[in-house]
Amino acid sequence: MNASGSNSLKLPLRGIVPPMATPLLDRDTLDRAGLERLLEHILAGGVHGLFILGTTGEGPSLSYRLRRELIDQVCRQVAGRVPVLVGITDTAYVESLSVARHAAEAGVAAVVLAPPYYMPEGQPELREYLSHLVPELPLPLYLYNMPPLTKVPFALDTVEWAMEQGGIVGMKDSSGDMGYFHAVLQRLPRRPDWSLLIGPEEMMVESVLLGGYGGVNGGANIFPRLYVRTYEAAAAGDLARAREGHRRILRVSGGLYRIGKHPSTIIKGIKCALACLGVCDDFMAEPFSRFRAPERERIESALQDLEGIEDLK
Amino acid sequence: MNASGSNSLKLPLRGIVPPMATPLLDRDTLDRAGLERLLEHILAGGVHGLFILGTTGEGPSLSYRLRRELIDQVCRQVAGRVPVLVGITDTAYVESLSVARHAAEAGVAAVVLAPPYYMPEGQPELREYLSHLVPELPLPLYLYNMPPLTKVPFALDTVEWAMEQGGIVGMKDSSGDMGYFHAVLQRLPRRPDWSLLIGPEEMMVESVLLGGYGGVNGGANIFPRLYVRTYEAAAAGDLARAREGHRRILRVSGGLYRIGKHPSTIIKGIKCALACLGVCDDFMAEPFSRFRAPERERIESALQDLEGIEDLK
Amino acid sequence: MNASGSNSLKLPLRGIVPPMATPLLDRDTLDRAGLERLLEHILAGGVHGLFILGTTGEGPSLSYRLRRELIDQVCRQVAGRVPVLVGITDTAYVESLSVARHAAEAGVAAVVLAPPYYMPEGQPELREYLSHLVPELPLPLYLYNMPPLTKVPFALDTVEWAMEQGGIVGMKDSSGDMGYFHAVLQRLPRRPDWSLLIGPEEMMVESVLLGGYGGVNGGANIFPRLYVRTYEAAAAGDLARAREGHRRILRVSGGLYRIGKHPSTIIKGIKCALACLGVCDDFMAEPFSRFRAPERERIESALQDLEGIEDLK
Amino acid sequence: MNASGSNSLKLPLRGIVPPMATPLLDRDTLDRAGLERLLEHILAGGVHGLFILGTTGEGPSLSYRLRRELIDQVCRQVAGRVPVLVGITDTAYVESLSVARHAAEAGVAAVVLAPPYYMPEGQPELREYLSHLVPELPLPLYLYNMPPLTKVPFALDTVEWAMEQGGIVGMKDSSGDMGYFHAVLQRLPRRPDWSLLIGPEEMMVESVLLGGYGGVNGGANIFPRLYVRTYEAAAAGDLARAREGHRRILRVSGGLYRIGKHPSTIIKGIKCALACLGVCDDFMAEPFSRFRAPERERIESALQDLEGIEDLK
């Protein structure tokens, strides 16, 4: 499919697939050196894949030109070491497809799609939309369930319908609703190639203990090894170690994600922590902006409290 | 500013400014003949402006290429007969600005912007976003308050702040919350160049009777003269005629907008009615689709009931 | 039906029916002297009815014993001068019926009922509930549409169903959704005994200008004459005077209802203003409490700004 | 404290505390024989406590007279075999306190309170309310977090405040938000007498695996032993058995709770299943009603599929 053959994906996908933050120097300028460092920092943690242009990656805030530049740059540097997944969520079908085609040419392994999120579509409309789009996609698709931001969920009967379609190979569930998560998981035996990954890191351990496939967790930008080892403990049924990892992840979340008042505080916290650690710039594209000095001081102090947190025995 | 000088705008803007439906043959193909007919149909009704690429115009569902083509085509045909307003709402700052620049070159009179609508920003973030964007815009801006779709409103204190900024000249309020509408209206004396237009046509008459500046009402795609005359009656304080116009607008709304079950039913109803009347194609870009035969029959029957509705004495 | 014959109700009910605040000395003690003054204050304004034990009356916060005492006291003092309406909204059918029976014996004219508001019922469940309860009620019933507090609205098809039932004679709509209000109003010609009254005072004038029957407006506790005269102007089609009344009502609302941060701020503002004016105590039953000194000072200052506001020519 | 001494409570409370359905013959008539059978059925499963007059028990739909009768009857029959908890949630402070006092005299062990749920109070108002009520309560209190029904949650800072008060000994969390649950759990080391129990049974296993204290799960009305054994497996860290129990609980939930369309379908399913099993009548107090024949047939068929589900090895 492409020169480097880097887009191979072993199904079902399992493990930690960090939703990468996008290092920026300005609203339309990649922090290329920072991106290089961030990628190596994450890959050194032993992650099982990489998800770019998602919510944490500020995908919807970036120009299409920058999205393409980022895809190219990431694929070139990752060079097949792990599968790269790319968010193509858009309100415009044509633009989703266009990004997906660019991604396929760059060597991406799969694309990730949340429901169009301006005017809320009904579930029959959502299914018809997928039935048009999925056959045109050049890459396998992961559904991205994110109702707090898209207003529209992938309802359970839509998920059942999706399991009967080719082209779709799993879901990232960021609903935070474990009842929904378990209900989807119950249906997975129909599709051995599907995986179900969880977004909120606070529920990663329980999801994996009860059959989940892994996590797309923002904190793995900062402490990738902690998330990988915790996932491995949970997947192996090592309850004591999984609990300890869970407690540590809660400390990350409690320390870094509640500094500001608006929902963007999580991304701000992650980017600020990466900047404090010298990994990359913390510029954020509008309508958001990086933490100012008082919040940054709180992040710095939280990072000191978290020192050594990756050393999960 | 441009060859035809067509982008002049007399402030404050008053009257009926239809949010034009976008005639399509396919998801990325304008129905150019239909667009020509629709434009002349609307202009013949005596409207005071035209708003393209809004919610009714399926703006967020269209490719950027098509948005530009539509802007060019509309400006060429309108040729300064009424001011053209263009929606530039986007989650990506760079793309909003890019559409605004194209619009200015094409001869558009003003741009219209709702809050970025993926990750909900707080009001301070929204104000900072506007403080970056507005000075870069080549055209005057109308705020577009549409919290059911954007999740984020322009809160009252943000509107007060906006009234102190240059570059912003009014608001289209589609919140449906008349308490909010009146509270904004109360603050307008500070800015004689601002206007406050209302989205939901069911509240157009009362808004104008109590000081509002006009309506951006979807039904004016179909029956432009009804909305213009009703507006004029309300603006002139002709209560009997305004009431009669109001009752007729409710009949349009009751007959055409509640056929389907999902929020898109209003746009579907408008496009289907335009197709039944031979004005233009009713193709809808994904994730939506035109009404099927059963719904179309109900629209046809409603149109028969509405015959002669424009003849408001 | 009762000794004083005071429960007669001329249908359809029209005019200003203030939702009376409940003067309290303590959470289970009526401020009887304050109640006496408040009643005469309101009645002196020329109101067309009185609604007790509604939202503004803190109905749901009061013990059943106190609710009965209040009903008795109010009926005795009003003595048939205006019809008294009593809120019987409850999550428990048996308690609603019990209050309604007590009210009938005391000489009340009608009861007012919002949907049970703990576990949200579906519309078919709501209709079945009404079909059980209404025939057992000893008094005519007004529906009370208040979805922000009950979660469940009276959906349009439920209203249409209700119009075919005996025993129901109208609705108080506090949804704040004028599209809904107009849709209900459109259906009223079927039932000449029904009236449709509006809750939010900011929309009273427009509702009456377009066919509404009056208002159940909290501010009429404080300035009853202003609301009565404004209603009369709107009902008579005196647009200039109605607009002036509307502007004054917005000043009341803007001055008194946005002092605090929580939804209870409206009731707190009304009770505090009544206390400042020497009418009654402003104690509030839990989970609420009266304004403290800083908020009270703002109310006092707002009252000075509002001096003379009732003198609508 | 009372004749039978039955109200002793060993802190912290751990295990399965079923939220008992209330067997009714009519809206104000207990099914006393059914109640007797239901109680023995539940107790035979080895449960660790009993919670009456909660959401599943239709507490808010019942008259105060019936609530008192139920409390008396349950206490008499349980006779100290397990601690009995009683829901006292109410919009009226006086009525909450009155039920609590009756409960204390009857030998109840603790009371359970969700935030007043008509007009939504702010968190400072909620804390002030608790600071008045809790000292007056004759029994220890469990907070009941149920934002989908009360609109108001116990926010994290309110929980932290509550941990500093006497009189409160834990929380039942029915929010369904595991991020919230873990955040509360993180704070429990401050109070060794507190417990944190979870409402939604689909999340019981994961909550206990990660440190939770047990479940208040509706399905334990029908299959008490399944929930008890599953809890014990999770509490003992027996991951294989806990997973099997979890899968079985999901089968109960999937089979019985999604038959109808409205939120009440869960309670309807539980009561209908109990009726099919000959335990008690399935009458439901308004505004709800029992399943009709078609839904009942689906419950019967689901019960056949679930046969033997309690035999968790």
Tab-separated table of all heavy atoms in Angstrom, chain B residues 28-43:
chain	number	residue	atom	x	y	z
B	28	ASP	N	-20.814	17.154	-3.275
B	28	ASP	CA	-19.802	18.175	-3.560
B	28	ASP	C	-20.073	18.911	-4.880
B	28	ASP	O	-19.163	19.463	-5.485
B	28	ASP	CB	-18.401	17.537	-3.562
B	28	ASP	CG	-17.310	18.547	-3.222
B	28	ASP	OD1	-17.621	19.549	-2.537
B	28	ASP	OD2	-16.152	18.338	-3.641
B	29	THR	N	-21.347	18.931	-5.294
B	29	THR	CA	-21.709	19.557	-6.568
B	29	THR	C	-22.894	20.504	-6.371
B	29	THR	O	-23.984	20.065	-5.992
B	29	THR	CB	-22.106	18.483	-7.612
B	29	THR	OG1	-21.126	17.441	-7.624
B	29	THR	CG2	-22.261	19.099	-9.003
B	30	LEU	N	-22.664	21.774	-6.622
B	30	LEU	CA	-23.757	22.754	-6.562
B	30	LEU	C	-24.797	22.477	-7.627
B	30	LEU	O	-24.447	22.117	-8.755
B	30	LEU	CB	-23.210	24.168	-6.815
B	30	LEU	CG	-22.798	25.022	-5.635
B	30	LEU	CD1	-22.465	26.425	-6.128
B	30	LEU	CD2	-23.921	25.098	-4.606
B	31	ASP	N	-26.045	22.689	-7.295
B	31	ASP	CA	-27.112	22.719	-8.299
B	31	ASP	C	-27.169	24.176	-8.800
B	31	ASP	O	-27.903	25.003	-8.264
B	31	ASP	CB	-28.430	22.297	-7.642
B	31	ASP	CG	-29.635	22.499	-8.553
B	31	ASP	OD1	-29.446	22.753	-9.766
B	31	ASP	OD2	-30.768	22.420	-8.034
B	32	ARG	N	-26.355	24.455	-9.798
B	32	ARG	CA	-26.171	25.860	-10.195
B	32	ARG	C	-27.445	26.475	-10.765
B	32	ARG	O	-27.771	27.635	-10.474
B	32	ARG	CB	-25.033	25.981	-11.216
B	32	ARG	CG	-23.665	25.729	-10.545
B	32	ARG	CD	-22.542	26.076	-11.509
B	32	ARG	NE	-21.323	26.386	-10.783
B	32	ARG	CZ	-20.636	27.517	-10.904
B	32	ARG	NH1	-21.066	28.481	-11.718
B	32	ARG	NH2	-19.536	27.717	-10.214
B	33	ALA	N	-28.157	25.709	-11.531
B	33	ALA	CA	-29.415	26.246	-12.085
B	33	ALA	C	-30.423	26.456	-10.963
B	33	ALA	O	-31.139	27.462	-10.905
B	33	ALA	CB	-29.973	25.288	-13.143
B	34	GLY	N	-30.458	25.497	-10.040
B	34	GLY	CA	-31.372	25.618	-8.906
B	34	GLY	C	-30.994	26.811	-8.030
B	34	GLY	O	-31.864	27.541	-7.532
B	35	LEU	N	-29.711	27.001	-7.836
B	35	LEU	CA	-29.247	28.139	-7.038
B	35	LEU	C	-29.692	29.454	-7.681
B	35	LEU	O	-30.156	30.375	-7.000
B	35	LEU	CB	-27.720	28.090	-6.923
B	35	LEU	CG	-27.055	29.320	-6.295
B	35	LEU	CD1	-27.551	29.543	-4.866
B	35	LEU	CD2	-25.533	29.165	-6.299
B	36	GLU	N	-29.584	29.512	-8.995
B	36	GLU	CA	-29.981	30.728	-9.710
B	36	GLU	C	-31.472	31.006	-9.475
B	36	GLU	O	-31.868	32.129	-9.149
B	36	GLU	CB	-29.695	30.525	-11.198
B	36	GLU	CG	-29.420	31.805	-11.943
B	36	GLU	CD	-29.063	31.516	-13.408
B	36	GLU	OE1	-28.083	30.765	-13.657
B	36	GLU	OE2	-29.796	32.017	-14.284
B	37	ARG	N	-32.271	29.954	-9.627
B	37	ARG	CA	-33.717	30.132	-9.422
B	37	ARG	C	-34.025	30.505	-7.973
B	37	ARG	O	-34.857	31.364	-7.695
B	37	ARG	CB	-34.463	28.846	-9.792
B	37	ARG	CG	-34.604	28.634	-11.304
B	37	ARG	CD	-35.574	27.497	-11.619
B	37	ARG	NE	-35.119	26.217	-11.082
B	37	ARG	CZ	-34.307	25.369	-11.732
B	37	ARG	NH1	-33.842	25.668	-12.948
B	37	ARG	NH2	-33.948	24.234	-11.178
B	38	LEU	N	-33.364	29.811	-7.042
B	38	LEU	CA	-33.637	30.073	-5.620
B	38	LEU	C	-33.296	31.520	-5.262
B	38	LEU	O	-34.075	32.225	-4.588
B	38	LEU	CB	-32.833	29.109	-4.741
B	38	LEU	CG	-32.952	29.318	-3.229
B	38	LEU	CD1	-34.402	29.236	-2.753
B	38	LEU	CD2	-32.102	28.307	-2.467
B	39	LEU	N	-32.174	31.995	-5.743
B	39	LEU	CA	-31.770	33.366	-5.448
B	39	LEU	C	-32.791	34.369	-5.981
B	39	LEU	O	-33.196	35.296	-5.268
B	39	LEU	CB	-30.402	33.651	-6.083
B	39	LEU	CG	-29.179	33.318	-5.240
B	39	LEU	CD1	-27.908	33.496	-6.043
B	39	LEU	CD2	-29.149	34.208	-3.990
B	40	GLU	N	-33.228	34.163	-7.230
B	40	GLU	CA	-34.190	35.121	-7.794
B	40	GLU	C	-35.530	35.018	-7.069
B	40	GLU	O	-36.206	36.023	-6.849
B	40	GLU	CB	-34.353	34.899	-9.303
B	40	GLU	CG	-33.072	35.166	-10.102
B	40	GLU	CD	-32.459	36.538	-9.803
B	40	GLU	OE1	-33.207	37.528	-9.638
B	40	GLU	OE2	-31.206	36.620	-9.713
B	41	HIS	N	-35.899	33.809	-6.703
B	41	HIS	CA	-37.131	33.589	-5.950
B	41	HIS	C	-37.101	34.357	-4.623
B	41	HIS	O	-38.066	35.049	-4.256
B	41	HIS	CB	-37.291	32.083	-5.697
B	41	HIS	CG	-38.419	31.706	-4.790
B	41	HIS	ND1	-39.739	31.818	-5.156
B	41	HIS	CD2	-38.424	31.213	-3.515
B	41	HIS	CE1	-40.509	31.415	-4.149
B	41	HIS	NE2	-39.739	31.045	-3.153
B	42	ILE	N	-35.996	34.250	-3.925
B	42	ILE	CA	-35.881	34.929	-2.629
B	42	ILE	C	-35.829	36.450	-2.812
B	42	ILE	O	-36.532	37.200	-2.129
B	42	ILE	CB	-34.615	34.436	-1.871
B	42	ILE	CG1	-34.788	32.974	-1.445
B	42	ILE	CG2	-34.342	35.318	-0.667
B	42	ILE	CD1	-33.545	32.356	-0.818
B	43	LEU	N	-35.019	36.898	-3.758
B	43	LEU	CA	-34.858	38.347	-3.952
B	43	LEU	C	-36.176	38.983	-4.402
B	43	LEU	O	-36.487	40.117	-4.013
B	43	LEU	CB	-33.750	38.634	-4.965
B	43	LEU	CG	-32.325	38.275	-4.499
B	43	LEU	CD1	-31.303	38.591	-5.585
B	43	LEU	CD2	-31.972	39.017	-3.204
